[in-house]
Structures are given as structure tokens and as C-alpha cells.
Amino acid sequence: MPLEEDIKQDKFHNDHQKAAINILYTGSWLYNINAGFLKKFDITPEQFNVLRILRGSFPKPMMLAEITERMIDKSSNCTRLVEKLRQKALVNRFTCVNNRRQVDISITDKGQQLLKRIDASQVTWLDAMGKISKVEARELNRILDKLRYE
Amino acid sequence: MPLEEDIKQDKFHNDHQKAAINILYTGSWLYNINAGFLKKFDITPEQFNVLRILRGSFPKPMMLAEITERMIDKSSNCTRLVEKLRQKALVNRFTCVNNRRQVDISITDKGQQLLKRIDASQVTWLDAMGKISKVEARELNRILDKLRYE
DNA sequence: ACTCAATTACTGTATCTACAATAATTGTAT
DNA sequence: ATACAATTATTGTAGATACAGTAATTGAGT
């Protein structure tokens, strides 16, 4: 391989590759902070995420495919994850009357209350994120959004 | 794409909270791209990560605790992960002579060659990361590094 | 030397994930 | 109406992860 091409590619590689690994690494770091924080509430990050999604749609129920589409980790098994939430009475789960293939999921009162309690303790989140300024947080959002832009 | 559209949530509490979820979301997005890419090489992202760590230390071997410390996901079970790599002959694994509690792990020739092959196909990485500029990649690195500082 | 604490790694087990296979229901073309 | 395709969710299962418990070895205090 010609040297100049090698160097060029190498340099291009390094900043971008470092950024990729940085995102993965920081994502995992943050995930663990979040998981530890949520443990007090006996809920996993993905369960928390699904509850927030359902609150966003409330009072309109959502079907599994819609939830999956919005999940952070789309490959989690939504059927079983929702079943866990149902066992804790945090969501309702009814076969849809109009289309018996689909199930309508919605957050319960108990689920709403849990989210409120969690929101109230979100100070911990800010502890983790507080090391960067508001301007930096915005810049970070801008770049990450651009990165995922189709 | 703005995160709000991706996860169909209208409003975030503040820029910091959005940034946190953005990192988690983008991290997962990138993880899945990476996992799909590495599947061709019959290796998982964490195994790839450990191999890179060992290459960084080569020819000096590392013990399990050192590897764990540098892993992206520290809660993975390093013993079993390294055992998988050993089964594929990508690493060596010897009980340390001076301190029989610890095991010395080092990357093999075959492991080095695999990493070379993977590096050579990193074009796919660039497809994913290429939407942001070099300046943005650097800025991203700076902010993420600051976020995790101490 | 002996005991106890610290270090380092391994193991057990319940749970979760990835991904493919299957089932149930609905839509569509003939 | 029937056959076939499309949609939607569930299940099976191999493998991975989380986390606590155990084992082996070394170090330190007496």
C-alpha cells in the first residue's frame, strides 16, 4: 500500500476510531452507573426505558413492535421484558380487540408512580453528567445526532 | 437524526439528561454495528476489545485483573472470556511462576494476524463514523473524556 | 511458625440476550 | 372460498452476563 494513502487512512482512522471506542466505552460506563442507581427501585435500565416509552404514549397503549422500535437496545426480547413489567404490575397487557395478533401495552398507575419516584432522585444522573457544561452537553448531542443521521 | 425522533420522545428534562440518553442510545447503536461487523471474524466485541488490549501490552503479558480494569464492560467474566480466546488459540494463558495466584495472558501470533485482518476491513467502521468530521470526532473525544474524568 | 487478612482467580446459578423457528391472525389475489 | 403472503407475537435454545460465593496463594503481624 502506498505510504501516503496508508498515513491518510491511518490518521482518519484514528480520530474516528477513537471516537467510536470512546462512545462504546462511555456508554458502558454510564450504563453501569444507571443500572446501579436503578437497582434501588428493583428495575433494570431496559425496563426503565420501556416504562418511559409507555409514559410518553400514555394514555394511548402501544403494541410490542412499536415499543421495540423505540427501545435503546432493540434486540432485547420485548415479549419477555414486558412480561416482567406485568408481573410487577407496572404495565397492563391486553390482546387487541380489533387485531388479535397484536397486544396493547400501557403503563399502570403503579408504573407512573414508580417513574415519579425515580425522576425525583435523578440528582444522581446529574452527578454523573455534571462534569461537562451545558454548552458541551448541547455540542455532544449535536454531534451524536449527526452521527446517527440517516 | 435528532434523538427525539429516534426514540419518539418529545421533551427531555434538560440538555444533560438528553446527553446521557444519547450516549446510551448511540453506544448501543454502534455496538450493534460493531457486533455485526465482527461476526464475519467469529469474534464478539468484548473478545475483540480484550485482544486489542493484549496487543497494546505485547510482548508483556497481562494478568486477568489488569485486563478487566481496561475492558469496556468490566462486569464481563474475564476468566471465561479469555478461555474462549484460548480455545480459538488467539491468546496464551500460563500460571505465573512468581505468583501462582495470577495467570499471565498474552496475544498469540494467530491473534495478531486476526487483528491485522480486522484492521484491514475497518472501512465498515468508517461508514458508520464517517458522517462526522475529523474536528467533530476530536471534539466528541474531548467531551467524552472530560465526562468520565475521575 | 502461625494466624488472619488481602489478593487473585475460578465456579455456580439465575437471569438475560441473540437469533432462529414457530404459531396465530389477517390481508390479498384468484 | 381457498391458498398464499404478510404481520405480529411467542417460544426454544445456546451462549453470555451479573453477582455472589469459594478456593488457592501470598503477605503481614505477632
Side-chain angles (χ1 to χ4, degrees), chain B residues 51-63 66-67 70 90-94 103-109 112 115:
Chain B
L51 272 191
R52 273 193 298 112
I53 290 169
L54 289 171
R55 176 171 63 179
S57 166
F58 190 82
K60 185 168 158 291
M62 298 175 78
M63 66 176 186
E66 286 172 324
I67 297 173
R70 296 184 52 190
L90 300 173
V91 304
N92 284 319
R93 187 187 167 291
F94 297 115
V103 277
D104 285 341
I105 321 283
S106 56
I107 188 168
T108 61
D109 241 40
Q112 297 266 19
L115 286 187

Side-chain angles (χ1 to χ4, degrees), chain A residues 32 39 63-65 77 79-80 93 99 101-103:
Chain A
N32 289 323
K39 198 177 280 181
M63 65 176 188
L64 281 180
N77 191 317
T79 298
R80 289 185 261 227
R93 188 186 165 293
N99 184 344
R101 281 170 304 187
Q102 81 186 47
V103 277

Side-chain angles (χ1 to χ4, degrees), chain A:
Chain A
M1 191 186 297
L3 184 64
E4 56 185 0
E5 197 182 321
D6 200 11
I7 290 171
K8 196 171 122 195
Q9 203 172 37
D10 218 40
K11 279 207 160 169
F12 186 66
H13 249 168
N14 282 338
D15 284 324
H16 284 79
Q17 188 173 351
K18 183 186 169 189
I21 292 169
N22 217 338
I23 293 168
L24 290 172
Y25 192 84
T26 309
S28 169
W29 171 82
L30 204 54
Y31 178 91
N32 289 323
I33 291 176
N34 195 26
F37 167 67
L38 289 173
K39 198 177 280 181
K40 294 194 276 297
F41 300 96
D42 191 29
I43 198 174
T44 69
E46 272 304 355
Q47 288 172 8
F48 175 54
N49 185 35
V50 168
L51 273 190
R52 274 193 298 111
I53 290 168
L54 289 171
R55 175 170 65 180
S57 166
F58 190 82
K60 185 168 158 290
M62 297 176 78
M63 65 176 188
L64 281 180
E66 285 174 324
I67 297 173
T68 301
E69 198 181 329
R70 288 159 181 68
M71 278 168 68
I72 289 179
D73 192 343
K74 293 172 178 38
S75 58
S76 301
N77 191 317
C78 203
T79 298
R80 289 185 261 227
L81 200 157
V82 164
E83 174 57 16
K84 294 280 173 194
L85 292 174
R86 198 197 56 76
Q87 280 169 20
K88 298 185 211 170
L90 301 173
V91 304
N92 285 319
R93 188 186 165 293
F94 297 116
T95 302
C96 178
V97 204
N98 301 325
N99 184 344
R100 296 212 313 277
R101 281 170 304 187
Q102 81 186 47
V103 277
D104 285 342
I105 322 281
S106 56
I107 187 168
T108 62
D109 241 39
K110 192 177 171 193
Q112 298 266 17
Q113 281 164 29
L114 176 61
L115 286 187
K116 261 186 202 141
R117 283 202 297 135
I118 294 176
D119 283 345
S121 341
Q122 285 289 4
V123 187
T124 315
W125 264 109
L126 293 185
D127 281 353
M129 297 300 295
K131 283 185 227 94
I132 62 174
S133 73
K134 195 173 188 175
V135 172
E136 285 169 331
R138 284 188 184 150
E139 180 68 354
L140 185 56
N141 282 321
R142 185 188 71 74
I143 298 175
L144 291 179
D145 287 350
K146 183 174 180 184
L147 184 60
R148 291 194 320 279
Y149 183 74
E150 294 295 333

Side-chain angles (χ1 to χ4, degrees), chain B residues 84-91 108-111:
Chain B
K84 295 280 173 194
L85 291 174
R86 197 197 56 77
Q87 281 169 20
K88 298 184 212 170
L90 300 173
V91 304
T108 61
D109 241 40
K110 192 178 170 192

